Amino acid sequence: MSPSSLDHLYSKSACCAVPSAIREINKLVDLPDMKSLAGGWPDPAVFPSKDILRIASEQLRKNADQVLQYGTTEGLAELRQELARLAAKRYGIECSADHILLTHGSAQGMDLACRVMIDPDDVVLVGLPTYFGGSGAVLACCGELCGVEIDADGINTFQAADQLQMLKAAGKRAKGIYVIPNFQNPTGATLSLKRRKDLIELAATYDLVIFEDDPYGDLRFEGDHLPSLMALDTAGRVIHMRSMSKTFAPGLRVAWSIGPPEVIRKMVVAKQFVDVATNTLAQYILLEFIRSGLLEKRIELNNKYYKRKRDFMLEQLEVHFPEEVQWNRPAGGFFIFVKLPGTMDATELLADAVKHNVAFVAGAPFFIDQSGIHTFRLSYSQSSEAVIEAAVTELGKLIKQRL
Ligand SMILES: Cc1ncc(COP(=O)(O)O)c(C=O)c1O
């Protein structure tokens, strides 16, 4: 086919959007014999395949006219009611079906939220580092990003306050904060209760929307669940995105956003022009999965399963990594974040590691200012213990060689 002669016609939004930097690493992960700690995907070993097969067959046998039909853009009314009950029970969020919109992945929730909230040049605060699905959705609306340091207690709210003050002084319009409150991707950090409250206050002071992205919140291995920002918020400033990708099956792409009904209505209108409605069969499967109590059981099983993997990886790191290297102990989720000593470059380490059939994700692409060159993310979610052991052993050797 001849090269495109449409380059000069691209929209502003298409030019603003940047591709995800970890797509490249996904190509590596698929190579045969690659021992990968890169992908943040759930382990297929805990997909509830049999239950999904049974429920899908039953639905298709008894209810084909509905499950194969278009649905409303908001999503199935019974499912939204069920999700509102779940929100109150599990996350302390008091809401009704009118506060809920079913989406194809929480990625779509963030995209729709940005479409209705972000104008070109609006600034959104994001973690340094952060998951680029969130920051990428802001950029795709031609918004701007402002980085705020993440430490063991999540996003640093003192620094966030300073940044907001500086943006205001510079005449910039800060519009929002994107936050992954639990077991953040990529650091594994959980936002402390104090900082959750600080963010709510900052949002009120600076007139901001909080994009609360919480796909890992159910995967808590220890300690108490902290209230979500939405549960703490009394001013209707939070759009909360949940996903079934990490606890159920990401291929079904079922997720939902919770927000003030007026915001949800705007997102519904935006979604009408994107994909009309979320997959109907997937929604019926999730509805039955929740109603029959299988979701709660699955969350419990997953937590035991992934906790074992986390513990195993932590043990391996203790054994094989030199003491100059630092890492965190996440209380849940999929990720451990590693800091190399001095100015050791994780991208160079990755290039070396790949030659030895080991993959991970270098940290720099998660930092909007590219500052984290000495960091990298390890994921224990998808790999077997044998792969974790072999990959960590090899990485330990390569790091020691570079010291
Ligand atoms: C923080 C975060 N948000 C959102 C997503 C996207 O999830 P979903 O499959 O629900 O679109 C991911 C996936 O890795 C993630 O890590």
Side-chain angles (χ1 to χ4, degrees):
M1 200 192 279
S2 57
S4 169
S5 54
L6 299 178
D7 295 7
H8 60 296
L9 296 181
Y10 286 134
S11 68
K12 196 159 186 253
S13 156
C15 298
C16 290
V18 288
S20 156
I22 63 163
R23 276 222 311 251
E24 291 306 306
I25 192 91
N26 286 339
K27 287 184 206 153
L28 290 177
V29 172
D30 288 340
L31 294 176
D33 300 330
M34 185 59 76
K35 294 180 276 300
S36 173
L37 306 178
W41 293 5
D43 193 335
V46 287
F47 287 162
S49 322
K50 286 196 186 125
D51 291 321
I52 291 176
L53 178 64
R54 178 182 50 76
I55 296 171
S57 318
E58 270 168 27
Q59 288 295 334
L60 285 166
R61 213 172 39 247
K62 295 188 198 151
N63 200 13
D65 289 358
Q66 256 124 28
V67 300
L68 297 180
Q69 189 53 281
Y70 283 115
T72 59
T73 307
E74 291 84 344
L76 282 180
E78 306 99 291
L79 178 57
R80 286 184 295 124
Q81 282 152 14
E82 204 60 59
L83 294 174
R85 275 193 284 276
L86 195 74
K89 187 171 161 205
R90 286 194 71 85
Y91 317 115
I93 297 172
E94 294 301 330
C95 65
S96 71
D98 292 341
H99 296 77
I100 295 179
L101 165 64
L102 269 294
T103 57
H104 280 119
S106 53
Q108 187 183 50
M110 183 62 188
D111 177 65
L112 297 174
C114 287
R115 280 172 196 244
V116 306
M117 289 294 171
I118 303 301
D119 281 319
D121 306 328
D122 283 349
V123 183
V124 175
L125 266 54
V126 298
L128 276 176
T130 192
Y131 167 68
F132 15 72
S135 47
V138 176
L139 293 176
C141 292
C142 301
E144 289 179 21
L145 302 168
C146 172
V148 181
E149 181 192 281
I150 300 252
D151 60 26
D153 285 337
I155 206 158
N156 180 329
T157 46
F158 283 115
Q159 215 188 72
D162 285 348
Q163 297 282 28
L164 288 165
Q165 195 51 45
M166 281 193 290
L167 288 167
K168 196 173 170 189
K172 291 274 196 184
R173 174 69 174 108
K175 235 342 159 41
I177 305 184
Y178 171 67
V179 58
I180 305 158
N182 298 304
F183 326 122
Q184 197 240 15
N185 183 1
T187 60
T190 292
L191 190 67
S192 68
L193 181 57
K194 158 91 174 63
R195 288 193 175 172
R196 289 174 195 233
K197 291 180 180 164
D198 288 349
L199 282 186
I200 300 284
E201 254 184 64
L202 283 178
T205 309
Y206 289 92
D207 192 17
L208 305 173
V209 49
I210 298 178
F211 302 101
E212 181 178 32
D213 188 11
D214 193 17
Y216 302 100
D218 283 321
L219 289 162
R220 179 174 272 285
F221 312 149
E222 58 209 20
D224 293 332
H225 284 282
L226 293 174
S228 66
L229 282 105
M230 177 159 252
L232 296 169
D233 168 51
T234 52
R237 289 192 172 274
V238 180
I239 303 176
H240 176 97
M241 285 150 286
R242 297 216 73 81
S243 174
M244 281 290 100
S245 289
K246 314 297 172 181
T247 40
F248 184 47
L252 289 177
R253 307 305 295 131
V254 260
W256 60 100
S257 298
I258 311 179
E262 318 76 63
V263 178
I264 292 295
R265 271 200 298 279
K266 290 264 184 225
M267 289 169 67
V268 166
V269 174
K271 184 172 160 77
Q272 277 165 3
F273 303 109
V274 175
D275 60 0
V276 181
T278 300
N279 182 315
T280 316
L281 176 58
Q283 291 187 66
Y284 274 104
I285 294 172
L286 178 61
L287 176 62
E288 190 49 37
F289 203 73
I290 298 175
R291 278 187 175 160
S292 54
L294 288 170
L295 181 65
E296 306 260 354
K297 282 191 197 133
R298 169 57 41 200
I299 290 172
E300 260 179 56
L301 286 172
N302 281 1
N303 282 341
K304 286 192 188 124
Y305 184 79
Y306 289 119
K307 178 181 184 301
R308 271 203 308 275
K309 288 194 172 205
R310 178 208 59 178
D311 290 345
F312 186 75
M313 184 178 269
L314 287 170
E315 277 165 34
Q316 293 303 309
L317 291 173
E318 280 300 336
V319 174
H320 298 288
F321 273 23
E323 60 182 22
E324 292 87 343
V325 179
Q326 293 172 8
W327 59 90
N328 61 321
R329 183 178 195 282
F334 286 174
F335 307 115
I336 292 177
F337 203 57
V338 180
K339 288 192 183 134
L340 292 166
T343 53
M344 198 184 284
D345 186 329
T347 314
E348 286 171 12
L349 179 69
L350 175 62
D352 239 7
V354 167
K355 289 185 202 143
H356 293 80
N357 281 338
V358 173
F360 58 83
V361 185
F366 293 101
F367 290 77
I368 58 162
D369 59 359
Q370 306 288 307
S371 59
I373 51 163
H374 61 298
T375 64
F376 62 93
R377 187 192 79 179
L378 296 178
S379 168
Y380 43 81
S381 59
Q382 224 185 332
S383 316
S384 65
E385 291 196 350
V387 165
I388 293 176
E389 182 171 2
V392 171
T393 308
E394 190 60 49
L395 277 179
K397 276 191 217 155
L398 293 173
I399 296 170
K400 282 176 197 158
Q401 280 167 18
R402 286 171 170 266
L403 273 178

